[in-house]
């Protein structure tokens, strides 16, 4: 019926607005205790965001914390193999490791053990210009940062003004 279609369209509109807010406030979302309670699907949806106001290293840190939390919940050791297992290859591949700096890889990714040695080696070779980009991990930076936040915030204020929801 028409009313069900209207409700479905309204719900879809709300979902889109929620995801727009998450894009704008990704860092804040990642910092909430509730983030650790999300399932793998939600984690992967956040990692798919582009644009995102979070830095790639923040996304990686969240994945690592989330994986450790999942290991704890499952009562398993948070060793490298188990971390990779709970995150899953598909989700791990959504982190744009090739967009990180060599220092971030060397000081944060390597010690975590979450990536296999051959992936780390290829990433470092790529970052130091000794080989082509590893196709497994994207080197494309996510749209975001201060410029994105300013544009997106202005659009949200404009939308609130139209609906009369200005604070």
């Amino acid at each position: 019926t028409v009313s069900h279609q209207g409700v479905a369209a309204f719900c879809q509109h709300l979902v889109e607005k929620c995801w727009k807010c998450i894009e704008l406030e990704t860092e804040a979302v990642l910092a909430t205790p509730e983030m650790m309670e999300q399932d793998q699907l939600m984690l992967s949806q956040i990692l798919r965001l582009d644009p995102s106001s979070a830095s790639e290293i923040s996304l990686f840190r969240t994945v690592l914390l989330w994986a450790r939390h999942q290991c704890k919940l499952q009562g398993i050791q948070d060793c490298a193999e188990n971390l990779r297992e709970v995150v899953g290859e598909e989700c791990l591949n959504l982190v744009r490791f090739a967009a990180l700096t060599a220092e971030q890889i060397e000081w944060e990714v390597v010690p975590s053990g979450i990536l296999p040695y051959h992936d780390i080696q290829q990433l470092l070779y790529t970052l130091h210009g000794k080989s082509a980009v590893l196709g497994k991990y994207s080197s494309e930076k996510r749209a975001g940062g201060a410029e994105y936040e300013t544009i997106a915030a202005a659009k949200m204020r404009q939308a609130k003004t139209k609906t009369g929801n200005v604070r």
Side-chain angles (χ1 to χ4, degrees):
T1 66
V2 173
S3 64
H4 290 296
Q5 290 174 346
V7 169
F10 178 72
C11 289
Q12 180 60 34
H13 176 72
L14 286 178
V15 168
E16 289 170 9
K17 282 187 128 189
C18 288
W19 279 109
K20 190 53 87 178
C21 287
I22 292 170
E23 285 177 0
L24 283 171
E25 298 293 336
T26 313
E27 290 277 354
V29 170
L30 298 178
T32 63
E34 292 81 13
M35 184 63 214
M36 296 301 113
E37 304 304 323
Q38 300 306 309
D39 61 15
Q40 187 185 45
L41 176 61
M42 180 58 72
L43 179 65
S44 69
Q45 287 176 320
I46 290 171
L47 291 172
R48 282 186 174 89
L49 287 177
D50 193 0
S52 169
S53 63
S55 65
E56 206 62 40
I57 194 63
S58 292
L59 292 168
F60 167 72
R61 289 173 183 149
T62 299
V63 168
L64 186 59
L65 288 171
W66 183 89
R68 288 182 173 146
H69 183 75
Q70 295 304 309
C71 285
K72 183 179 178 183
L73 290 176
Q74 294 176 26
I76 58 177
Q77 183 183 6
D78 66 351
C79 64
E81 186 177 304
N82 289 342
L83 292 173
R84 280 192 295 271
E85 180 71 27
V86 297
V87 171
E89 186 176 349
E90 180 183 337
C91 198
L92 196 58
N93 289 344
L94 294 171
V95 178
R96 298 177 181 184
F97 289 104
L100 297 175
T101 66
E103 291 79 19
Q104 290 169 331
I105 291 171
E106 292 168 358
W107 291 100
E108 297 195 52
V109 179
V110 171
S112 75
I114 201 162
L115 289 183
Y117 173 76
H118 63 277
D119 285 1
I120 293 288
Q121 182 182 34
Q122 185 63 49
L123 281 168
L124 291 175
Y125 281 160
T126 299
L127 288 172
H128 291 295
K130 296 180 181 178
S131 74
V133 174
L134 180 66
K136 188 174 184 179
Y137 305 110
S138 175
S139 61
E140 185 178 325
K141 294 192 185 294
R142 296 174 200 271
E147 181 182 310
Y148 168 72
E149 291 175 26
T150 303
I151 293 167
K155 286 182 180 179
M156 288 195 69
R157 278 193 304 277
Q158 184 180 25
K160 285 181 182 179
T161 303
K162 286 180 182 178
T163 61
N165 292 335
V166 180
R167 290 185 187 176

